[in-house]
């Protein structure tokens, strides 16, 4: 039997992952009721346990795959959701080049299945995890939401394809509210040190790599390129604290709750608007942690761009959200998580 209508009940797909866990906490603190749906392909029950401990109540967790329509239908039949925050997806660029079908199947087909079930149950509010990767190599900086989109790898292509699907859906039926949030570079961890990013194997991304060098798990950082047209020759990115990012999702839901007319397709950048170079991040991390971060310059990494940072005006104007935390706080929280959990959750196979 359906529960009574709850405007603030949210399905969080991929809610056991890095950004999802932080967002679950922010949603709970903002008064939303959450149901997490995750197949644990890149996360663990331990992450859910820790979120439950941090919010001092059990999380409603369903182990399931977004490609499994019957399982999703069961969830929608037992809960009446105001909307869905859709984090579930695979995110490793290199792996996507090696396994494109897996990425299109998981990220694109999975999203189509979710949208079909949402249609069937008349749940028309969606916040989708998109990425600054949809802008490819930007023509101008800062990057605003009207910038040209193009992608060079299957992961990015899967995000862009989902965006196109959402645009078409909004045209076909004007009752949808579809907000792709285009994240810039999420880093940092919950200030408790209890949850954070827990990459499998050797990290691909900069911040977890630096953290693992600082904690002594990796010997040396390779800095990919020191001849970019940037202040110090290293790549520049818009690093954003994951708890700020989490608040951006709460702001997007608040915005949807306030609307009297559907918003259709409404892409919004989540970034700080500030660029930080790889070398600047290494220095900041070293200062905060008191650890030396040995590094060497290496060849540019294929597919990397020189600089990428957001125009964050749309989020500020529409959602009344802006990032608050500094690079120092991002490094402090990443370091706390890494030093308290040198092996991450360490329970992936349970
Ligand atoms: P993550 O891997 O930590 O979290 C994703 C979660 O989705 C995991 O818990 C995983 O088990 C789950 N999942 C994957 N496929 C699923 C499926 N078919 N069914 C159910 N659950 C599934 O990643 P994250 O960093 O938290 O990223 C969340 C989302 O944000 C992803 O869609 C990612 O592509 C996007 N994103 C991430 C970044 C970043 O740098 N972290 C940047 C831009 C966009
Ligand atoms: N870098 C190094 N050494 C490393 C890792 C990274 O020098 O060991 C450099 C990169 O060359 C780049 C910068 O650090 O200049 C940031 O690299 P990341 O891999 O941390 O992040 P990217 O900007 O390449 O990409 C990330 C996610 C993408 C996402 C994008 C925008 O990996 O999935 O942010 O959100 F699309």
């Amino acid at each position: 039997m359906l529960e009574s209508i709850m405007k603030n009940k949210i399905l969080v797909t991929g809610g056991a992952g890095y950004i999802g866990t932080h967002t679950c906490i922010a949603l709970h603190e903002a008064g939303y009721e959450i149901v997490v749906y995750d197949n644990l392909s890149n996360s663990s029950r331990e992450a859910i346990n820790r979120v439950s401990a941090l919010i001092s109540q059990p999380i409603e967790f369903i182990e399931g795959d977004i490609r499994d329509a019957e399982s999703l239908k069961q969830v929608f039949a037992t809960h009446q959701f105001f909307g869905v925050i859709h984090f579930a997806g695979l995110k490793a660029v290199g792996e996507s080049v090696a396994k494109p079908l897996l990425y299109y199947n998981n990220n694109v087909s999975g999203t189509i299945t979710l949208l079909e079930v949402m249609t069937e149950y008349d749940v028309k509010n969606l916040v989708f995890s998109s990425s600054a990767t949809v802008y490819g190599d930007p023509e101008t900086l800062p990057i605003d939401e009207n910038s040209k989109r193009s992608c060079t790898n299957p992961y990015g292509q899967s995000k862009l394809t989902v965006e196109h699907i959402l645009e078409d859906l909004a045209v076909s039926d004007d009752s949808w509210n579809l907000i792709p949030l285009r994240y810039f570079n999420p880093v940092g961890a919950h200030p408790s040190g209890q949850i954070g990013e827990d990459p499998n194997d050797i990290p691909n991304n900069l911040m977890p790599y630096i953290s693992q060098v600082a904690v002594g798990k990796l010997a040396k950082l390779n800095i990919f390129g020191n001849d970019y047209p940037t202040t110090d020759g290293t790549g520049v990115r818009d690093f954003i604290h994951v708890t700020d990012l989490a608040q951006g999702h709460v702001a997007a839901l608040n915005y949807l709750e306030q609307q009297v007319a559907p918003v259709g397709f409404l892409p919004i950048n989540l970034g700080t608007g500030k660029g930080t170079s790889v070398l600047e991040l290494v220095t900041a991390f070293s200062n905060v942690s008191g650890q030396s971060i040995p590094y060497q310059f290496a060849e540019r990494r294929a597919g990397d761009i020189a600089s990428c940072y957001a125009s964050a005006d749309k989020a500020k104007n529409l959602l009344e959200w802006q990032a608050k935390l500094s690079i120092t706080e991002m490094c402090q929280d990443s370091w706390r998580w890494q030093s308290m959990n040198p092996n991450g959750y360490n329970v992936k196979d349970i």
Side-chain angles (χ1 to χ4, degrees):
M1 202 177 76
L2 280 180
E3 294 169 11
S4 59
I5 292 183
M6 299 213 52
K7 202 177 177 197
N8 67 354
K9 195 166 197 177
I10 306 297
L11 178 66
V12 186
T13 75
Y18 171 46
I19 304 170
T21 45
H22 291 83
T23 303
C24 285
I25 291 173
L27 289 170
H28 171 80
E29 286 169 352
Y32 287 97
E33 200 180 329
I34 52 179
V35 175
V36 170
Y37 186 87
D38 198 304
N39 67 359
L40 301 181
S41 58
N42 196 36
S43 50
S44 64
R45 281 181 189 276
E46 176 62 10
I48 294 289
N49 294 341
R50 293 200 187 180
V51 173
S52 298
L54 285 167
I55 66 172
S56 306
Q57 71 178 58
I59 290 249
E60 177 143 13
F61 172 65
I62 297 147
E63 186 171 348
D65 196 296
I66 50 165
R67 292 164 294 183
D68 182 345
E70 291 315 311
S71 163
L72 276 177
K73 283 181 192 176
Q74 231 174 15
V75 177
F76 278 79
T78 34
H79 301 276
Q80 187 142 8
F81 296 113
F82 169 70
V84 177
I85 302 188
H86 177 32
F87 293 108
L90 298 174
K91 62 169 181 174
V93 174
E95 186 185 51
S96 80
V97 175
K99 300 177 181 172
L101 297 181
L102 175 67
Y103 272 66
Y104 288 120
N105 182 25
N106 202 78
N107 295 3
V108 180
S109 302
T111 302
I112 292 173
T113 302
L114 173 67
L115 290 167
E116 284 171 345
V117 175
M118 289 176 70
T119 306
E120 189 176 331
Y121 286 87
D122 200 29
V123 176
K124 298 285 185 68
N125 298 312
L126 178 82
V127 176
F128 169 64
S129 295
S130 190
S131 167
T133 196
V134 300
Y135 296 119
D137 196 349
E139 284 169 357
T140 50
L141 292 167
I143 306 171
D144 73 29
E145 288 81 354
N146 298 319
S147 304
K148 222 172 72 189
R149 288 172 291 166
S150 73
C151 287
T152 54
N153 61 71
Y155 165 71
Q157 219 35 276
S158 75
K159 291 291 173 191
L160 189 49
T161 303
V162 170
E163 286 207 5
H164 289 317
I165 291 169
L166 299 182
E167 280 174 281
D168 290 343
L169 194 57
V171 169
S172 74
D173 170 353
D174 64 10
S175 65
W176 281 96
N177 299 294
L178 302 162
I179 303 190
L181 294 176
R182 295 177 181 152
Y183 312 152
F184 280 66
N185 287 59
V187 297
H190 192 266
S192 63
Q194 291 301 308
I195 58 170
E197 189 170 9
D198 184 15
N200 287 317
D201 308 321
I202 296 176
N204 295 310
N205 296 118
L206 181 62
M207 185 65 108
Y209 204 107
I210 292 176
S211 311
Q212 293 198 12
V213 172
V215 86
K217 285 183 75 179
L218 295 169
K220 194 181 277 188
L221 171 71
N222 284 309
I223 296 185
F224 301 135
N226 62 345
D227 57 352
Y228 284 110
T230 59
T231 44
D232 58 24
T234 65
V236 166
R237 295 292 183 273
D238 186 340
F239 299 100
I240 174 168
H241 198 297
V242 67
T243 60
D244 273 335
L245 199 68
Q247 291 300 339
H249 293 77
V250 174
L253 286 179
N254 287 343
Y255 176 78
L256 288 181
E257 285 190 316
Q258 285 159 19
Q259 298 312 300
V260 283
V263 304
F265 176 79
L266 185 67
I268 301 180
N269 287 344
L270 292 185
T272 65
K274 291 188 210 92
T276 301
S277 77
V278 172
L279 266 181
E280 285 167 344
L281 191 70
V282 170
T283 305
F285 198 100
S286 181
N287 290 341
V288 157
S289 63
Q291 308 295 312
S292 71
I293 317 283
Y295 64 81
Q296 64 191 14
F297 292 117
E299 291 294 301
R300 290 181 179 192
R301 187 172 64 179
D304 273 358
I305 55 176
S307 294
C308 174
Y309 51 91
S311 160
D313 292 349
K314 191 171 176 184
K316 188 175 175 193
N317 295 334
L318 278 188
L319 306 184
E320 296 174 16
W321 168 93
Q322 58 185 325
K324 295 195 179 88
L325 300 173
S326 66
I327 287 286
T328 301
E329 287 154 312
M330 298 178 210
C331 292
Q332 275 167 343
D333 291 333
S334 290
W335 176 235
R336 186 177 303 106
W337 156 251
Q338 181 67 70
S339 46
M340 284 172 66
N341 308 269
N343 298 313
Y345 295 114
N346 198 22
V347 285
K348 281 202 161 64
D349 48 352
I350 289 180

